[in-house]
Amino acid sequence: MTTNYCPGCMSPRPALNTCLFCHFQESTYQPPKTALAIGTRVDAYQLGAMVASSRQAQCYVALDLTTEKPVLLEEFFPFTVVGRVQGKPMVIETNANTKFALVAGLFESSKQKRSCPLVRTFRANNTAYRVYDLAEGEKPKEAAQRLLDDPIVFQDDKGRPMMSINAITIPPMPKERSFRGTKKKEKNNQLLVAVLGVLVALLTVAVIAFS
């Protein structure tokens, strides 16, 4: 990192591999490939380690470069529909038939109260971010896990639920729909058609014979 802070908790530290406060070891840190690198700057924040993740988001401990205080930075990252080239900050949609842009906007604008006080929201790297305060002495990893265990519920202007995070992957319904039964049912239907065909043929022969 460019400043002398621990990437695991953002506390000032001497130049040691292991933090004296949170025991983070930078040499053994192995983040997922989707994580932004330690030291990356996003808006007014310098990232430390990624401390938690969920189906909806990735959460980093970060340093607010204005106040020089640690914060949590939550990055909207529904991994079922987006990805990231390792070493690159931009979030890339991997499924064109999703509502990612719409839901990212809802994630950014949500007023839902959660386990950490919300500081602000902003857009960057083709996604949305939410910044949360950390209480003095609070462990970032524990706070981030509580935060992501309480996911954003997308709501309309009146506070009514709109969709779950799973709805982002549901494609639009086709204009015309057709029902297709099971293979067993299709086989039975084919047999019925064949039997009816034989009966019609026999009836035709009988009518001709008695005419």
Side-chain angles (χ1 to χ4, degrees):
M1 296 184 68
T2 56
T3 52
N4 197 26
Y5 290 87
C6 168
C9 64
M10 287 299 165
S11 60
R13 65 168 190 178
L16 299 173
N17 179 52
T18 304
C19 176
L20 299 175
F21 299 99
C22 72
H23 309 295
F24 178 83
Q25 290 185 315
E26 197 165 349
S27 62
T28 59
Y29 173 60
Q30 294 182 325
K33 294 180 179 180
T34 55
L36 291 168
I38 289 175
T40 300
R41 179 166 177 169
V42 180
D43 199 71
Y45 307 94
Q46 182 173 293
L47 298 189
M50 193 179 85
V51 289
S53 64
S54 68
R55 293 179 63 85
Q56 185 182 61
Q58 301 186 138
C59 200
Y60 305 83
V61 60
L63 182 70
D64 185 324
L65 296 174
T66 304
T67 64
E68 295 192 349
K69 291 182 178 180
V71 295
L72 288 180
L73 188 69
E74 184 183 20
E75 177 184 54
F76 184 54
F77 200 96
F79 70 89
T80 55
V81 297
V82 299
R84 170 178 278 133
V85 177
Q86 193 169 7
K88 303 290 184 181
M90 294 298 292
V91 171
I92 302 170
E93 291 184 59
T94 56
N95 186 339
N97 296 320
T98 69
K99 302 174 183 177
F100 173 70
L102 168 65
V103 182
L106 295 173
F107 178 87
E108 179 187 13
S109 61
S110 174
K111 304 299 186 218
Q112 178 183 331
K113 291 184 178 180
R114 297 169 80 198
S115 58
C116 295
L118 179 66
V119 177
R120 61 180 289 244
T121 64
F122 63 92
R123 298 295 290 265
N125 298 332
N126 196 37
T127 190
Y129 292 86
R130 297 171 64 88
V131 184
Y132 299 89
D133 260 337
L134 279 170
E136 187 174 354
E138 190 171 23
K139 294 181 179 180
K141 187 171 184 177
E142 293 179 0
Q145 288 172 341
R146 285 199 310 273
L147 183 72
L148 297 189
D149 283 340
D150 181 26
I152 291 286
V153 176
F154 302 112
Q155 301 171 328
D156 62 17
D157 294 337
K158 296 182 179 180
R160 295 173 299 196
M162 290 179 63
M163 64 178 75
S164 71
I165 186 61
N166 296 324
I168 193 174
T169 60
I170 298 176
M173 294 294 289
K175 294 181 179 179
E176 296 181 4
R177 289 180 286 173
S178 58
F179 175 78
R180 183 174 183 179
T182 62
K183 289 183 178 179
K184 182 178 181 180
K185 187 170 183 178
E186 287 182 353
K187 188 175 181 179
N188 289 339
N189 288 342
Q190 291 171 358
L191 181 61
L192 179 61
V193 170
V195 170
L196 289 174
V198 171
L199 290 175
V200 170
L202 291 175
L203 183 59
T204 302
V205 170
V207 170
I208 294 172
F210 288 99
S211 60

Coordinates of all heavy atoms in Angstrom, one line a residue, residues 107-157:
F107 N -29.5 -0.7 -5.9 CA -28.5 -1.0 -4.8 C -27.9 0.4 -4.3 O -27.8 0.6 -3.1 CB -27.5 -1.9 -5.3 CG -26.3 -2.2 -4.4 CD1 -26.5 -3.3 -3.5 CD2 -25.2 -1.5 -4.3 CE1 -25.4 -3.6 -2.6 CE2 -24.2 -1.8 -3.5 CZ -24.3 -2.8 -2.6
E108 N -27.6 1.2 -5.2 CA -27.0 2.5 -4.9 C -28.0 3.4 -4.1 O -27.6 4.1 -3.1 CB -26.6 3.2 -6.1 CG -25.9 4.6 -5.9 CD -25.6 5.3 -7.2 OE1 -26.1 4.9 -8.2 OE2 -24.9 6.4 -7.1
S109 N -29.3 3.4 -4.5 CA -30.2 4.4 -4.0 C -31.0 3.8 -2.8 O -31.8 4.6 -2.1 CB -31.2 4.8 -5.0 OG -32.0 3.7 -5.5
S110 N -30.8 2.6 -2.4 CA -31.6 2.0 -1.3 C -31.4 2.7 0.0 O -30.2 3.1 0.4 CB -31.2 0.5 -1.1 OG -31.9 0.0 0.0
K111 N -32.5 3.0 0.7 CA -32.4 3.7 2.1 C -32.6 2.7 3.2 O -32.7 3.0 4.3 CB -33.5 4.7 2.2 CG -33.5 5.8 1.1 CD -32.2 6.6 1.1 CE -32.3 7.7 0.0 NZ -31.1 8.0 -0.7
Q112 N -32.5 1.4 2.9 CA -32.7 0.4 3.9 C -31.6 0.5 5.0 O -30.5 0.6 4.7 CB -32.6 -1.0 3.2 CG -32.7 -2.2 4.2 CD -32.5 -3.5 3.4 OE1 -32.8 -3.6 2.2 NE2 -32.0 -4.5 4.1
K113 N -32.1 0.4 6.2 CA -31.2 0.5 7.4 C -30.6 -0.9 7.6 O -31.3 -1.9 7.6 CB -31.9 0.9 8.6 CG -32.4 2.4 8.6 CD -33.0 2.8 9.9 CE -33.4 4.3 9.9 NZ -34.0 4.7 11.2
R114 N -29.3 -0.9 7.8 CA -28.6 -2.2 7.9 C -27.7 -2.1 9.2 O -27.8 -1.2 10.0 CB -27.8 -2.5 6.7 CG -28.7 -2.7 5.4 CD -27.9 -2.7 4.2 NE -27.3 -4.0 3.9 CZ -26.3 -4.2 3.0 NH1 -25.8 -3.2 2.4 NH2 -25.9 -5.4 2.9
S115 N -26.8 -3.1 9.3 CA -26.1 -3.3 10.6 C -25.0 -2.2 10.8 O -24.5 -2.1 11.9 CB -25.5 -4.7 10.7 OG -24.6 -4.9 9.6
C116 N -24.6 -1.5 9.7 CA -23.6 -0.5 9.8 C -24.1 0.8 9.3 O -24.9 0.8 8.4 CB -22.3 -0.9 9.0 SG -21.4 -2.3 9.6
P117 N -23.7 2.0 9.9 CA -24.2 3.3 9.4 C -23.7 3.6 8.0 O -22.5 3.5 7.8 CB -23.7 4.3 10.5 CG -23.2 3.4 11.6 CD -22.9 2.1 11.1
L118 N -24.6 3.9 7.2 CA -24.3 4.3 5.8 C -23.7 5.7 5.7 O -24.3 6.6 6.2 CB -25.5 4.2 4.9 CG -25.3 4.5 3.4 CD1 -24.4 3.5 2.7 CD2 -26.7 4.6 2.7
V119 N -22.6 5.9 5.0 CA -22.0 7.2 4.9 C -22.4 7.8 3.5 O -22.9 8.9 3.5 CB -20.4 7.1 4.9 CG1 -19.8 8.4 4.7 CG2 -20.0 6.5 6.3
R120 N -22.2 7.1 2.5 CA -22.6 7.6 1.1 C -22.6 6.4 0.1 O -22.2 5.3 0.4 CB -21.6 8.7 0.7 CG -20.2 8.2 0.5 CD -19.3 9.3 0.0 NE -19.5 9.7 -1.3 CZ -18.6 9.5 -2.3 NH1 -17.4 9.0 -2.0 NH2 -18.8 9.8 -3.6
T121 N -23.1 6.7 -1.1 CA -23.1 5.8 -2.2 C -22.6 6.5 -3.4 O -22.6 7.7 -3.5 CB -24.5 5.2 -2.5 OG1 -25.3 6.3 -3.0 CG2 -25.1 4.6 -1.3
F122 N -22.0 5.7 -4.4 CA -21.5 6.3 -5.6 C -21.4 5.2 -6.6 O -21.4 4.1 -6.4 CB -20.2 7.1 -5.4 CG -19.0 6.2 -4.9 CD1 -18.2 5.6 -5.8 CD2 -18.8 5.9 -3.6 CE1 -17.1 4.8 -5.4 CE2 -17.8 5.1 -3.1 CZ -16.9 4.5 -4.1
R123 N -21.2 5.7 -7.9 CA -21.0 4.8 -9.0 C -19.5 4.8 -9.5 O -18.9 5.9 -9.6 CB -21.9 5.1 -10.2 CG -23.4 5.0 -9.9 CD -23.8 3.6 -9.6 NE -23.8 2.7 -10.7 CZ -24.9 2.5 -11.5 NH1 -26.0 3.1 -11.2 NH2 -24.8 1.7 -12.5
A124 N -19.0 3.7 -9.8 CA -17.6 3.6 -10.3 C -17.4 2.2 -10.9 O -18.1 1.3 -10.5 CB -16.6 3.9 -9.3
N125 N -16.5 2.1 -11.8 CA -16.1 0.7 -12.4 C -17.3 0.0 -12.9 O -17.3 -1.3 -12.8 CB -15.4 -0.1 -11.3 CG -14.1 0.5 -10.8 OD1 -13.4 1.3 -11.5 ND2 -13.7 0.3 -9.6
N126 N -18.3 0.7 -13.5 CA -19.5 0.1 -14.1 C -20.4 -0.6 -13.1 O -21.1 -1.5 -13.4 CB -19.1 -0.9 -15.2 CG -20.2 -1.2 -16.1 OD1 -21.0 -0.4 -16.4 ND2 -20.3 -2.5 -16.5
T127 N -20.3 -0.2 -11.8 CA -21.1 -0.8 -10.7 C -21.4 0.2 -9.7 O -21.1 1.4 -9.9 CB -20.5 -2.1 -10.1 OG1 -21.5 -2.7 -9.3 CG2 -19.3 -1.8 -9.3
A128 N -22.0 -0.2 -8.6 CA -22.4 0.7 -7.5 C -21.6 0.4 -6.2 O -21.3 -0.8 -6.0 CB -23.9 0.7 -7.3
Y129 N -21.3 1.4 -5.4 CA -20.6 1.2 -4.1 C -21.4 1.9 -3.0 O -22.0 2.9 -3.2 CB -19.2 1.8 -4.2 CG -18.3 1.0 -5.1 CD1 -18.2 1.3 -6.5 CD2 -17.4 0.0 -4.6 CE1 -17.3 0.7 -7.3 CE2 -16.6 -0.7 -5.5 CZ -16.5 -0.3 -6.8 OH -15.7 -1.0 -7.7
R130 N -21.3 1.2 -1.8 CA -21.9 1.8 -0.6 C -20.8 1.9 0.5 O -20.0 0.9 0.7 CB -23.1 1.0 -0.1 CG -24.2 1.0 -1.1 CD -25.3 0.0 -0.8 NE -25.9 0.3 0.5 CZ -27.0 1.1 0.6 NH1 -27.5 1.7 -0.5 NH2 -27.6 1.3 1.8
V131 N -20.7 3.0 1.2 CA -19.6 3.2 2.2 C -20.2 3.2 3.5 O -21.3 3.9 3.8 CB -18.9 4.5 1.9 CG1 -17.7 4.7 2.9 CG2 -18.3 4.6 0.5
Y132 N -19.7 2.5 4.5 CA -20.2 2.4 5.8 C -19.1 2.7 6.9 O -18.0 2.4 6.7 CB -20.7 0.9 6.1 CG -21.8 0.5 5.2 CD1 -21.5 -0.2 4.0 CD2 -23.1 0.7 5.5 CE1 -22.5 -0.6 3.2 CE2 -24.1 0.2 4.7 CZ -23.8 -0.4 3.5 OH -24.8 -0.9 2.7
D133 N -19.6 3.3 8.0 CA -18.7 3.7 9.1 C -18.4 2.4 9.9 O -19.2 1.5 10.0 CB -19.4 4.7 10.0 CG -18.9 6.1 9.8 OD1 -17.8 6.2 9.3 OD2 -19.7 7.0 10.1
L134 N -17.2 2.4 10.4 CA -16.8 1.4 11.4 C -16.7 2.0 12.8 O -16.2 3.0 12.9 CB -15.5 0.8 11.0 CG -15.5 -0.3 9.9 CD1 -14.0 -0.6 9.5 CD2 -16.2 -1.6 10.4
A135 N -17.3 1.3 13.7 CA -17.2 1.8 15.1 C -15.8 1.6 15.6 O -15.1 0.7 15.1 CB -18.2 1.0 16.0
E136 N -15.4 2.5 16.5 CA -14.0 2.4 17.0 C -13.8 1.0 17.6 O -14.5 0.6 18.5 CB -13.8 3.5 18.0 CG -12.3 3.6 18.4 CD -12.1 4.9 19.3 OE1 -13.0 5.7 19.5 OE2 -11.0 5.0 19.8
G137 N -12.7 0.4 17.2 CA -12.3 -0.9 17.8 C -13.1 -2.1 17.1 O -12.8 -3.2 17.5
E138 N -14.0 -1.8 16.2 CA -14.7 -2.9 15.6 C -13.9 -3.6 14.6 O -13.2 -3.0 13.8 CB -16.0 -2.3 14.9 CG -17.0 -3.4 14.4 CD -18.3 -2.7 13.9 OE1 -18.3 -1.5 13.6 OE2 -19.3 -3.5 13.9
K139 N -14.0 -4.9 14.5 CA -13.2 -5.7 13.6 C -13.9 -5.7 12.2 O -15.0 -6.1 12.1 CB -13.0 -7.1 14.1 CG -12.2 -7.3 15.3 CD -12.1 -8.7 15.8 CE -11.3 -8.8 17.0 NZ -11.1 -10.2 17.5
P140 N -13.2 -5.2 11.2 CA -13.8 -5.1 9.8 C -14.4 -6.3 9.3 O -15.5 -6.3 8.7 CB -12.6 -4.6 9.0 CG -11.7 -3.9 9.9 CD -11.8 -4.7 11.2
K141 N -13.7 -7.5 9.5 CA -14.2 -8.7 9.0 C -15.5 -9.1 9.6 O -16.5 -9.5 8.9 CB -13.2 -9.8 9.2 CG -13.5 -11.1 8.5 CD -12.4 -12.1 8.5 CE -12.7 -13.4 7.7 NZ -11.6 -14.4 7.7
E142 N -15.6 -9.0 10.9 CA -16.9 -9.3 11.6 C -18.0 -8.4 11.2 O -19.1 -8.8 10.9 CB -16.7 -9.3 13.1 CG -15.7 -10.4 13.6 CD -15.5 -10.3 15.1 OE1 -16.1 -9.4 15.8 OE2 -14.7 -11.1 15.6
A143 N -17.7 -7.1 11.1 CA -18.7 -6.1 10.7 C -19.2 -6.4 9.2 O -20.4 -6.3 8.9 CB -18.1 -4.7 10.8
A144 N -18.2 -6.7 8.3 CA -18.6 -7.0 6.9 C -19.4 -8.2 6.8 O -20.4 -8.3 6.0 CB -17.3 -7.1 6.1
Q145 N -19.1 -9.2 7.6 CA -19.9 -10.5 7.5 C -21.4 -10.2 8.0 O -22.3 -10.7 7.4 CB -19.3 -11.6 8.4 CG -18.0 -12.1 7.7 CD -17.2 -13.0 8.6 OE1 -17.4 -13.1 9.8 NE2 -16.4 -13.8 8.0
R146 N -21.5 -9.4 9.1 CA -22.9 -9.1 9.5 C -23.6 -8.2 8.5 O -24.8 -8.4 8.2 CB -22.8 -8.2 10.8 CG -22.4 -9.0 12.1 CD -22.9 -8.2 13.3 NE -22.4 -6.9 13.3 CZ -21.2 -6.5 13.8 NH1 -20.3 -7.4 14.2 NH2 -20.8 -5.2 13.7
L147 N -22.9 -7.3 7.8 CA -23.5 -6.5 6.8 C -24.0 -7.3 5.6 O -25.2 -7.2 5.2 CB -22.5 -5.5 6.3 CG -22.9 -4.5 5.3 CD1 -23.8 -3.5 5.9 CD2 -21.7 -3.8 4.7
L148 N -23.2 -8.3 5.2 CA -23.6 -9.1 4.0 C -24.6 -10.1 4.4 O -25.3 -10.7 3.5 CB -22.4 -9.7 3.3 CG -21.4 -8.7 2.8 CD1 -20.3 -9.4 1.9 CD2 -22.1 -7.6 1.9
D149 N -24.7 -10.5 5.7 CA -25.8 -11.4 6.1 C -27.1 -10.7 6.1 O -28.2 -11.3 6.4 CB -25.5 -11.9 7.5 CG -24.4 -13.1 7.4 OD1 -24.2 -13.6 6.3 OD2 -23.8 -13.3 8.4
D150 N -27.1 -9.4 6.0 CA -28.3 -8.5 5.9 C -28.4 -7.8 4.6 O -28.2 -6.6 4.5 CB -28.3 -7.5 7.1 CG -29.5 -6.6 7.1 OD1 -30.6 -7.1 6.7 OD2 -29.4 -5.5 7.6
P151 N -28.7 -8.6 3.5 CA -28.6 -8.1 2.1 C -29.6 -7.0 1.8 O -30.7 -6.9 2.5 CB -28.8 -9.3 1.3 CG -29.7 -10.2 2.1 CD -29.2 -10.0 3.5
I152 N -29.3 -6.2 0.8 CA -30.3 -5.2 0.4 C -31.5 -5.8 -0.2 O -31.4 -6.8 -1.0 CB -29.6 -4.3 -0.8 CG1 -28.5 -3.5 -0.2 CG2 -30.6 -3.5 -1.5 CD1 -28.9 -2.3 0.6
V153 N -32.7 -5.4 0.2 CA -33.9 -5.8 -0.3 C -34.4 -4.7 -1.2 O -34.6 -3.5 -0.8 CB -35.0 -6.1 0.8 CG1 -36.3 -6.4 0.2 CG2 -34.5 -7.2 1.7
F154 N -34.5 -4.9 -2.5 CA -34.9 -3.9 -3.5 C -36.3 -3.5 -3.3 O -37.2 -4.4 -3.3 CB -34.5 -4.4 -4.9 CG -33.1 -4.8 -5.0 CD1 -32.7 -6.1 -5.2 CD2 -32.1 -3.8 -4.9 CE1 -31.4 -6.4 -5.4 CE2 -30.8 -4.1 -5.0 CZ -30.4 -5.4 -5.3
Q155 N -36.6 -2.2 -3.2 CA -37.9 -1.7 -3.0 C -38.2 -0.6 -4.0 O -37.3 0.1 -4.5 CB -38.0 -1.2 -1.5 CG -37.7 -2.2 -0.5 CD -37.6 -1.6 0.9 OE1 -37.2 -0.5 1.1 NE2 -38.0 -2.4 1.9
D156 N -39.6 -0.3 -4.1 CA -40.0 0.8 -4.9 C -40.0 2.1 -4.1 O -39.6 2.1 -2.9 CB -41.3 0.5 -5.6 CG -42.5 0.4 -4.6 OD1 -42.3 0.8 -3.4 OD2 -43.5 -0.2 -4.9
D157 N -40.5 3.2 -4.7 CA -40.5 4.5 -4.0 C -41.3 4.5 -2.7 O -41.1 5.3 -1.8 CB -41.0 5.6 -4.9 CG -40.0 5.8 -6.1 OD1 -38.9 5.5 -5.9 OD2 -40.5 6.3 -7.1

